[in-house]
């Protein structure tokens, strides 16, 4: 579909994996007999909720920072994010010994701001809308000369996120299907690239909330439809799909399945009860999609990326 964009190759993804070794955990793959019985297939959960900063975002941020030139490193990095990318970039920068400037909306959760400060990021607050985020970021970049590292629509970030699926395939499990949630599409894009390079016949399927279904609509319309007024408990998936990721998805993703907030909460609860691990709502979306479409996955080996575990425990939905 897209000849003008050069996506990371398998060699690039393997090189990224080597590059970020000192900065990330190799997260485990867990399974649950009880969930397998309920799902009617074998499910292998890649636990990025155990990743540094509690989410897969550590991978992309570490790769992007590691690839900066010495000249760029002098002025540090900047981004706008209210979530996991903010913490991931602050941590990656601090570990690399450089400065990070994080533009965050004034209404960002205190826990997220604390995380960014804890990882050594300098927070610049702005009004909680996209225009304010972008203009404030531009002012920061103009003032500091920092390099802007976007949260998902950026090749080096996508290449870093692609290392998660690489680790899954290195376990030697012959997956029939690999699933990830989709928001901005960095994780899904990276996962699709790695999977199709290594096992072209394996299906790559995304889960998305019905209240933020721009990827689903864009996929079926074959053109990018931005998300307006998203509303879902899966707060990590509120953002609109990125341009680069849309191009990757059109070339490499087999399907996108949508689920309601009720279905997300049910899947989230199932993981808490059966696996005894902490995940955030966005994380439960692919499992919810699998459980809603059991017939489709019957008897398969399905890999699911549990994207993160940064949830406010005082506000659990059950």
């Amino acid at each position: 579909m897209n000849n003008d964009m050069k996506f990371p190759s398998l060699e690039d993804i393997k090189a990224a994996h080597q590059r970020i070794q000192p900065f990330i955990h190799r997260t485990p793959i867990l399974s649950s007999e009880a969930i397998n019985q309920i799902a009617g297939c074998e499910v292998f959960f890649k636990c990025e909720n155990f990743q540094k900063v509690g989410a897969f975002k550590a991978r992309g941020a570490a790769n992007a920072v590691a690839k900066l030139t010495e000249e760029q490193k002098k002025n540090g990095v900047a981004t706008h994010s209210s979530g996991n990318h903010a913490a991931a970039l602050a941590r990656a920068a601090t570990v690399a010994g450089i400065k990070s400037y994080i533009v965050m909306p004034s209404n960002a959760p205190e826990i997220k701001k604390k995380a960014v400060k804890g990882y050594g990021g300098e927070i610049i607050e702005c009004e909680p809308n996209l225009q304010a985020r972008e203009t404030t970021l531009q002012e920061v970049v103009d003032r500091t000369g920092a390099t802007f590292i976007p949260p998902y629509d950026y090749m080096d970030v996508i290449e870093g996120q692609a290392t998660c699926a690489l680790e899954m395939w290195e376990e030697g499990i012959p997956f029939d299907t690999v699933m990830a949630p989709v928001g901005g599409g960095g994780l899904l894009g990276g996962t699709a690239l790695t999977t199709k390079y290594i096992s072209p016949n394996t299906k790559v399927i995304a889960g998305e909330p019905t209240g933020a279904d721009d990827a689903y609509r864009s996929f079926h319309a074959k053109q990018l439809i931005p998300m307006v007024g998203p509303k879902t408990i899966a707060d990590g998936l509120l953002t609109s799909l990125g341009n680069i990721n849309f191009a990757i998805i059109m070339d490499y993703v087999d399907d996108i399945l949508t689920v309601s907030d009720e279905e997300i909460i049910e899947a989230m609860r199932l993981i808490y009860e059966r696996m005894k691990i902490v995940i955030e709502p966005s994380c439960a979306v692919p499992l919810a999609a699998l459980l809603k479409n059991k017939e489709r996955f019957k008897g398969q080996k399905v890999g699911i990326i549990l994207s993160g575990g940064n949830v406010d425990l005082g506000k659990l939905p059950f």
Side-chain angles (χ1 to χ4, degrees), residues 146-164:
T147 300
F148 172 37
I149 310 278
Y152 50 87
D153 208 26
Y154 191 63
M155 287 295 188
D156 291 346
V157 168
I158 297 163
E159 185 181 273
Q161 315 309 21
T163 63
C164 181

Side-chain angles (χ1 to χ4, degrees), residues 8-309:
S9 67
L10 184 57
E11 278 58 48
D12 294 334
I13 294 163
K14 285 178 173 170
H17 194 233
Q18 285 302 310
R19 190 181 296 124
I20 65 177
Q21 283 308 301
F23 312 108
I24 62 158
H25 288 312
R26 186 185 185 98
T27 53
I29 290 179
L30 301 181
S31 58
S32 155
E33 294 271 327
I35 291 178
N36 288 350
Q37 272 182 336
I38 293 165
C41 61
E42 280 186 85
V43 190
F44 299 87
F45 295 98
K46 175 67 168 163
C47 294
E48 287 292 288
N49 54 323
F50 299 157
Q51 188 50 268
K52 302 275 190 181
V53 308
F56 73 91
K57 296 273 187 187
R59 296 174 183 272
N63 191 50
V65 167
K67 288 180 85 169
L68 293 173
T69 64
E70 289 309 309
E71 199 50 45
Q72 286 172 315
K73 283 180 181 168
K74 286 180 191 161
N75 295 328
V77 289
T79 199
H80 60 80
S81 164
S82 56
N84 293 336
H85 177 67
L89 189 65
R91 178 179 174 274
T94 299
V95 171
I98 65 176
K99 282 187 76 78
S100 62
Y101 305 94
I102 316 289
V103 174
M104 297 185 87
S106 52
N107 63 352
E110 252 341 284
I111 186 165
K112 298 268 163 102
K113 290 182 189 169
K114 260 195 194 137
V116 171
K117 283 184 189 138
Y119 289 122
E122 183 181 317
I123 297 175
I124 299 94
E125 288 196 10
C126 68
E127 288 300 306
N129 63 67
L130 187 61
Q131 197 189 347
R133 280 164 69 144
E134 287 176 345
T135 50
T136 308
L137 176 77
Q138 196 50 57
E139 287 162 12
V140 170
V141 168
D142 292 343
R143 174 170 62 82
T144 61
T147 300
F148 172 37
I149 310 278
Y152 50 87
D153 208 26
Y154 191 63
M155 287 295 188
D156 291 346
V157 168
I158 297 163
E159 185 181 273
Q161 315 309 21
T163 63
C164 181
L166 185 66
E167 290 180 3
M168 292 170 74
W169 283 104
E170 283 175 353
E171 294 296 318
I173 301 161
F175 298 110
D176 298 297
T177 303
V178 172
M179 301 182 76
V182 59
L187 179 63
L188 178 61
T191 300
L193 289 174
T194 301
T195 297
K196 293 297 184 179
Y197 292 153
I198 292 173
S199 177
N201 293 329
T202 296
K203 295 269 187 282
V204 176
I205 296 178
E208 188 174 40
T210 42
D213 65 348
D214 57 308
Y216 171 83
R217 287 183 293 123
S218 302
F219 183 76
H220 289 287
K222 296 187 170 41
Q223 65 178 40
L224 195 53
I225 301 168
M227 189 68 222
V228 183
K231 196 171 183 309
T232 171
I233 188 170
D235 58 322
L237 306 179
L238 293 169
T239 184
S240 275
L241 189 61
N243 289 306
I244 304 170
N245 294 310
F246 174 63
I248 298 174
I249 287 164
M250 290 313 296
D251 280 359
Y252 293 96
V253 169
D254 294 283
D255 208 355
I256 297 175
L257 305 173
T258 58
V259 286
S260 68
D261 274 12
E262 292 71 39
E263 288 160 339
I264 294 168
I265 292 166
E266 202 179 317
M268 184 178 174
R269 183 174 186 141
L270 189 64
I271 288 176
Y272 271 69
E273 287 180 348
R274 304 295 176 149
M275 298 182 71
K276 320 293 184 229
I277 58 175
V278 173
I279 61 163
E280 58 195 77
S282 309
C283 219
V285 173
L287 178 61
L290 185 157
L291 295 174
K292 186 179 182 175
N293 300 274
K294 277 188 213 177
E295 276 309 302
R296 188 166 177 169
F297 300 98
K298 204 171 175 176
Q300 291 191 13
K301 290 185 191 303
V302 182
I304 290 185
I305 297 175
L306 292 180
S307 49

